[in-house]
């Protein structure tokens, strides 16, 4: 291949492109469970959670967790992360992101220049403590309880040069109410990548374990998730690039899971048991750089999903994506298309439906941000033989006050229909979930952050044992180095 006259990537440009491609192609370091949605606000700093819950401005990890099944590159947003806008409020230094030292282009420091840095190895540590009083949490379907929770979340992030990063964060949660068991959540993530000429390569592996009250199960649920991804990207020229990626995802229900048949079960409904699931996917995308403000692409994702003693399915997604930055104040991302899911071991009809994930952020002023996020997806449910069709909308507002305080307001609304693949996709359950949140956070000294929040959520379900309303008020303090 004749490369004469073609623009080559400088080493500095390669270093800058790498994290962006990893962000676009590898959203596998997912916060929390892949499909579950915890009823409790996550502690600050744990799995990239912000200091204050922001339902209206979900992180891209949350969008992917609720996004298109298959989990390949087409479903991820541009490199900008809404949660990064709150880095100072979360105790992170300006210009840096979790797991990176001084940003993507930071040069390796000389040994012993920093107590946490030796040559190319840079370590970052943090710890957060959260105290929450929550009402109406489901300990089992049809059974609610009020409880105080205390959560301690240390974290360690290691960056080995610009190409390899490793993070680990346990979270120790203690409940005052005996209906809930104390938990130790875990999150481990390894990301590696390299560039050579016009090629970029990446690898990602993550593990998470959560044992929290979930909206889907109506109970405290022990769940483990394993995610693996690989990708290769070729920059044909300054305008065109080709992206190939593959992923594997495994969801395992732990031995400590609360029996979802427990509780009042006042409607005498038959609730299926929880089950493990697996999914595999591969995608190919063609991306085109129209201008500094506009990028787009088209692609296809093919995936295979199965549940233990449940359904097996093959699905294809035909997708298009657009990233538009009409100015310094507005950023818009949209990814969507059509999904066709065919069931291989059951007589259930195919599911052909539109799917999408989208976000818009608007900064009218330097200290003010509005955000809008929406998604529609089909996912394998945690319940045996069931799939979930979900649609979500989030609206957020953030404002810096008095130069230090960060005010966050959020509203979210979502619907979820549970389809029984063993009964010709009859709807076994329908949920409508609404949430409101307000929070204040304040950085102190150089590495600390303190915050307080109030959160109200209500889930209205066609199966009454899964309906609930919960109020949560809490405070937290965190320190990062």
């Amino acid at each position: 291949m004749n490369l004469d006259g073609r623009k080559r990537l400088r080493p500095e440009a390669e270093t800058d492109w790498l994290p962006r491609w990893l962000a676009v192609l590898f959203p596998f370091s997912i916060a929390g469970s892949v499909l579950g949605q915890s009823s409790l606000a996550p502690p600050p700093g744990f799995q990239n959670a912000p200091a204050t819950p922001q339902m209206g401005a979900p992180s891209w990890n949350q969008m992917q967790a609720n996004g298109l099944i298959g989990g390949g590159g087409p479903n991820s947003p541009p490199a900008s992360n809404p949660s990064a806008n709150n880095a100072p409020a979360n105790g992170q230094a300006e210009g840096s992101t979790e797991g990176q030292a001084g940003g993507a282009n930071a040069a390796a420091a000389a040994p012993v220049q920093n107590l946490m840095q030796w040559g190319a190895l840079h370590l970052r540590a943090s710890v957060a403590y959260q105290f929450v009083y929550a009402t109406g949490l489901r300990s089992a379907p049809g059974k609610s309880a009020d409880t105080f929770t205390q959560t301690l979340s240390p974290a360690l992030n290691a960056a080995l040069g610009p190409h390899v990063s490793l993070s680990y964060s346990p979270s120790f949660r203690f409940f005052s109410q005996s209906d809930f068991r104390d938990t130790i959540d875990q999150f481990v993530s390894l990301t590696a990548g390299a560039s050579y000429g016009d090629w970029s390569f990446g690898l990602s592996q993550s593990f998470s374990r959560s044992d929290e009250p979930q909206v889907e199960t109506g109970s405290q649920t022990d769940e483990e998730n394993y995610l693996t991804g690989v990708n290769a990207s070729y920059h044909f020229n300054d305008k065109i690039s080709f992206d190939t990626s593959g992923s594997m995802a495994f969801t395992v229900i732990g031995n400590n899971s609360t029996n979802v048949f427990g509780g009042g079960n006042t409607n005498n409904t038959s609730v299926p048991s929880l089950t493990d699931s697996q999914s595999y996917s591969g995608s190919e995308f063609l991306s085109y750089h129209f201008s500094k403000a506009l990028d787009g692409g088209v692609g296809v994702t093919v995936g295979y999903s199965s549940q233990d003693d449940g359904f097996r399915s093959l699905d294809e997604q035909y997708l298009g994506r657009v990233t538009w930055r009409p100015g310094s104040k507005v950023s818009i991302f949209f990814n969507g298309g059509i999904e066709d899911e065919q069931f291989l071991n059951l007589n259930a009809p195919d599911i052909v439906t539109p799917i999408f994930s989208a976000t818009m952020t608007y900064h009218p002023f330097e200290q003010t941000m509005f955000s809008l996020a929406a998604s529609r997806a089909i996912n394998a449910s945690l319940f045996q033989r069931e799939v979930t069709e979900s649609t979500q909308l989030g609206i957020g507002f953030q404002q810096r006050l008095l130069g230090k305080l960060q005010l966050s307001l959020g509203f979210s609304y979502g619907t979820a229909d549970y389809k029984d693949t063993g009964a010709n996709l009859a709807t076994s359950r329908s949920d409508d979930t609404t949430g409101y949140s307000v929070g204040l956070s304040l950085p102190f000294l150089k590495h600390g952050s303190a915050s307080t929040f109030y959160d109200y959520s209500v889930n209205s379900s066609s199966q009454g044992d899964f309906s609930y309303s919960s109020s949560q008020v809490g405070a937290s303090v965190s320190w990062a180095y």
Side-chain angles (χ1 to χ4, degrees):
M1 180 183 296
N2 184 7
L3 300 179
D4 293 342
R6 289 180 53 188
K7 182 178 179 181
R8 306 295 298 180
L9 292 174
R10 303 185 308 275
E12 297 84 357
E14 293 178 4
T15 303
D16 184 59
W17 268 99
L18 177 60
R20 283 187 284 173
W21 278 113
L22 290 176
V24 171
L25 293 174
F26 282 99
F28 298 112
S29 298
I30 290 180
S33 64
V34 178
L35 303 178
Q37 181 182 356
S38 176
S39 301
L40 277 172
F46 180 63
Q47 301 178 9
N48 296 322
T52 301
Q54 299 162 42
M55 293 182 295
S59 71
W60 278 115
N61 289 331
Q62 293 171 317
M63 289 294 292
Q64 175 64 16
N66 297 314
L68 315 179
I69 199 169
N75 304 330
S76 57
S80 61
N81 184 349
S83 64
N85 296 315
N86 303 318
N90 293 331
Q92 297 177 4
E94 294 277 4
S96 64
T97 57
E98 186 171 6
Q100 296 176 338
N105 297 322
V112 199
Q113 279 192 343
N114 191 308
L115 292 178
M116 302 287 283
Q117 188 166 349
W118 299 269
L121 175 63
H122 188 100
L123 300 179
R124 296 189 64 196
S126 63
V127 63
Y129 170 78
Q130 182 188 68
F131 180 83
V132 177
Y133 175 67
T135 65
L137 289 183
R138 287 295 197 195
S139 58
K143 185 178 181 180
S144 296
D146 303 341
T147 182
F148 292 95
T149 67
Q150 299 183 75
T151 308
L152 181 65
S153 303
L156 181 65
N157 300 276
L160 183 59
H163 301 299
V164 180
S165 63
L166 175 66
S167 63
Y168 171 64
S169 55
S171 184
F172 305 87
R173 177 165 280 166
F174 305 94
F175 294 86
S176 64
Q177 173 57 250
S178 60
D179 289 347
F180 302 95
R181 57 183 173 271
D182 297 339
T183 68
I184 303 177
D185 292 350
Q186 307 278 350
F187 180 71
V188 183
S189 175
L190 172 67
T191 302
S195 296
Y196 180 77
D198 295 313
W199 286 92
S200 298
F201 304 93
L203 169 68
S204 181
Q205 176 67 56
S206 70
F207 164 79
S208 66
R209 178 185 181 273
S210 62
D211 191 4
E212 309 297 342
Q214 287 195 20
V215 177
E216 180 174 2
T217 62
S219 61
Q220 189 173 2
T221 305
D222 186 0
E223 182 181 349
E224 296 180 356
N225 290 279
Y226 304 82
L227 297 105
T228 303
V230 293
N231 85 291
S233 303
Y234 178 68
H235 309 281
F236 187 77
N237 54 37
D238 293 340
K239 296 288 187 180
I240 300 174
S241 62
F242 297 92
D243 314 323
T244 303
S245 62
S247 69
M248 298 186 300
F250 301 89
T251 299
V252 179
I253 303 301
N255 295 327
N256 292 328
S257 292
T258 300
N259 185 355
V260 295
F261 293 95
N265 201 9
T266 55
N267 293 338
N268 294 319
T269 52
S270 176
V271 180
S273 60
L274 304 181
T275 187
D276 302 341
S277 62
Q278 309 83 37
S279 66
Y280 309 85
S281 73
S283 67
E284 187 70 34
F285 241 72
L286 169 65
S287 300
Y288 189 83
H289 179 70
F290 292 95
S291 66
K292 184 178 179 181
L294 182 63
D295 293 279
V298 293
V300 60
T301 296
V302 178
Y304 171 81
S305 301
S306 67
Q307 290 179 324
D308 291 359
D309 299 320
F311 70 84
R312 292 186 291 109
S313 69
L314 182 69
D315 68 89
E316 301 92 31
Q317 298 174 4
Y318 306 94
L319 303 168
R321 67 184 179 198
V322 175
T323 303
W324 185 36
R325 305 176 189 88
S328 59
K329 296 183 178 181
V330 179
S331 177
I332 298 172
F333 171 80
F334 177 83
N335 179 89
I338 298 294
E339 177 170 352
D340 182 4
E341 184 167 10
Q342 307 105 45
F343 297 94
L344 305 178
N345 62 330
L346 299 169
N347 293 324
D350 296 353
I351 297 179
V352 181
T353 185
I355 53 175
F356 63 86
S357 59
T359 186
M360 180 184 73
T361 58
Y362 173 50
H363 291 264
F365 309 105
E366 181 180 357
Q367 307 296 342
T368 305
M369 185 182 77
F370 295 91
S371 60
L372 175 67
S375 68
R376 173 176 169 79
I378 302 175
N379 291 316
S381 173
L382 295 179
F383 292 113
Q384 193 174 39
R385 301 188 313 274
E386 291 191 353
V387 296
T388 307
E389 293 185 4
S390 61
T391 303
Q392 297 188 355
L393 171 68
I395 302 172
F397 170 76
Q398 296 179 52
Q399 176 66 53
R400 188 66 60 85
L401 303 173
L402 305 175
K404 290 288 186 179
L405 282 173
Q406 182 82 11
L407 171 67
S408 298
L409 303 175
F411 167 79
S412 65
Y413 176 76
T415 64
D417 292 327
Y418 295 82
K419 306 286 188 177
D420 189 344
T421 61
N424 292 320
L425 298 180
T427 301
S428 61
R429 171 184 158 197
S430 294
D431 287 10
D432 293 323
T433 306
T434 305
Y436 307 87
S437 69
V438 58
L440 281 173
S441 61
L442 174 67
F444 61 89
L445 300 179
K446 186 177 180 180
H447 302 286
S449 175
S451 65
T452 183
F453 70 90
Y454 173 77
D455 178 287
Y456 175 77
S457 61
V458 57
N459 186 63
S460 177
S461 177
S462 61
Q463 293 190 15
D465 289 336
F466 294 92
S467 297
Y468 77 91
S469 62
S470 175
S471 295
Q472 300 179 38
V473 59
S476 64
V477 59
S478 61
W479 186 268
Y481 181 76

